[in-house]
Amino acid sequence: MYIFLCEDSIDGIFTGVYDAWASRYGHQNVALTTHAPDNYSLFDKYISVPCDFDKSAKVARTLHSRMGDETYQEICQAALALEPNHKRKLINKADAIYKTIVLALSLPDAGKVLNYLGEPYVNRTFQLSRCTGNEAHHLLGFLRFQELENGILFAQIHPKNDVLPFLGEHFSDRLPEENFMIHDATRDLAVLHPQGNGFFITDTKEIDHRMLQRLSPQEMEYRRLWRTFFDNIAIEARKNPALQNQNLPKRFRKDIVEFNSIDI
């Protein structure tokens, strides 16, 4: 078996797909992985795949053309899903995506590949995609911006999956004339959107975090108004923590401005 070791990203996995397909070893003799094994097998050949944006772009164009927008996005969501190292019994994310692509391109309608849930690789790709999609959907509603001292709208999140590309696209459409930043504190990455331009994703390991804590006077005033509003409309007898936990999972709350503005 030829095992291609690729980077855990869309471009890394798509590069692995390109190299595995071009290798001509035969799809049944090839596997992709984003994690080096704990113990290398004596009878397998391991091939390291450096990320190549040109190869990735070629794969992306082919998939988008053959699968259509919706299924292509589902594949990208699967590539961005979290894959913990300890879940070794599950089908590897990169291999599931590769085998799903192989099946898709053999079908008359590649866009319907995710309907083949009886295939283990397709089922795994579908589950991964749903995890990323569900979390991105939650954050579209739960994400909160706050105005910094320098006028930039800032939001911080701690997602399990890499959802920044989807959040960046959504809020760039919603807030095209705003300078904003969405910080993924889990991965030390951020979406940056300059006013009137598209967004890009950048590393934030060297960022001055003190700057992100300096709020504008207007932001502080709105927080004060929120506290007053909350205190005046709250009805003690109608508090329902169980329903609140159901509608707003606790793991999102540390990044929600309202929960940082009042003592709930």
Side-chain angles (χ1 to χ4, degrees), residues 73-119:
Q73 181 167 332
E74 296 274 358
I75 296 294
C76 290
Q77 287 179 180
L80 292 171
L82 174 69
E83 186 174 44
N85 287 335
H86 64 274
K87 294 191 175 180
R88 295 294 188 180
K89 293 183 179 179
L90 296 175
I91 297 173
N92 182 276
K93 175 174 70 173
D95 203 37
I97 292 171
Y98 176 64
K99 296 297 197 307
T100 299
I101 290 172
V102 170
L103 174 60
L105 297 184
S106 71
L107 298 174
D109 187 350
K112 294 182 178 179
V113 66
L114 294 181
N115 293 339
Y116 291 74
L117 294 178
E119 296 289 338

Side-chain angles (χ1 to χ4, degrees), residues 30-219:
V30 165
L32 269 63
T33 181
T34 57
H35 297 296
D38 296 327
N39 297 300
Y40 284 80
S41 172
L42 182 63
F43 301 102
D44 292 329
K45 182 176 181 180
Y46 294 86
I47 303 170
S48 182
V49 179
C51 186
D52 186 306
F53 294 107
D54 289 335
K55 293 178 180 179
S56 173
K58 289 178 182 179
V59 171
R61 285 195 297 270
T62 298
L63 298 184
H64 194 270
S65 172
R66 295 287 298 274
M67 293 180 170
D69 290 340
E70 185 175 347
T71 304
Y72 172 73
Q73 181 167 332
E74 296 274 358
I75 296 294
C76 290
Q77 287 179 180
L80 292 171
L82 174 69
E83 186 174 44
N85 287 335
H86 64 274
K87 294 191 175 180
R88 295 294 188 180
K89 293 183 179 179
L90 296 175
I91 297 173
N92 182 276
K93 175 174 70 173
D95 203 37
I97 292 171
Y98 176 64
K99 296 297 197 307
T100 299
I101 290 172
V102 170
L103 174 60
L105 297 184
S106 71
L107 298 174
D109 187 350
K112 294 182 178 179
V113 66
L114 294 181
N115 293 339
Y116 291 74
L117 294 178
E119 296 289 338
Y121 293 102
V122 176
N123 194 290
R124 175 71 172 140
T125 300
F126 176 81
Q127 295 298 334
L128 288 166
S129 178
R130 187 166 66 172
C131 285
T132 305
N134 285 348
E135 186 168 38
H137 178 73
H138 277 113
L139 285 168
L140 291 180
F142 296 152
L143 184 143
R144 296 289 188 271
F145 286 103
Q146 50 193 326
E147 187 179 61
L148 300 181
E149 192 176 54
N150 57 15
I152 294 175
L153 298 182
F154 172 74
Q156 181 164 278
I157 55 176
H158 290 78
K160 294 179 180 178
N161 305 289
D162 186 1
V163 296
L164 280 184
F166 305 106
L167 298 181
E169 183 176 358
H170 174 84
F171 286 105
S172 293
D173 289 338
R174 293 288 300 274
L175 304 170
E177 298 305 316
E178 299 290 346
N179 294 310
F180 70 76
M181 172 181 177
I182 304 174
H183 180 221
D184 182 343
T186 304
R187 295 169 179 78
D188 276 324
L189 296 172
V191 162
L192 294 181
H193 178 269
Q195 181 183 26
N197 293 291
F199 75 92
F200 60 94
I201 296 176
T202 185
D203 184 276
T204 60
K205 290 184 176 65
E206 304 299 325
I207 198 169
D208 181 2
H209 290 274
R210 293 171 298 179
M211 176 192 69
L212 305 179
Q213 297 171 357
R214 294 198 289 266
L215 304 178
S216 70
Q218 294 90 341
E219 178 70 24

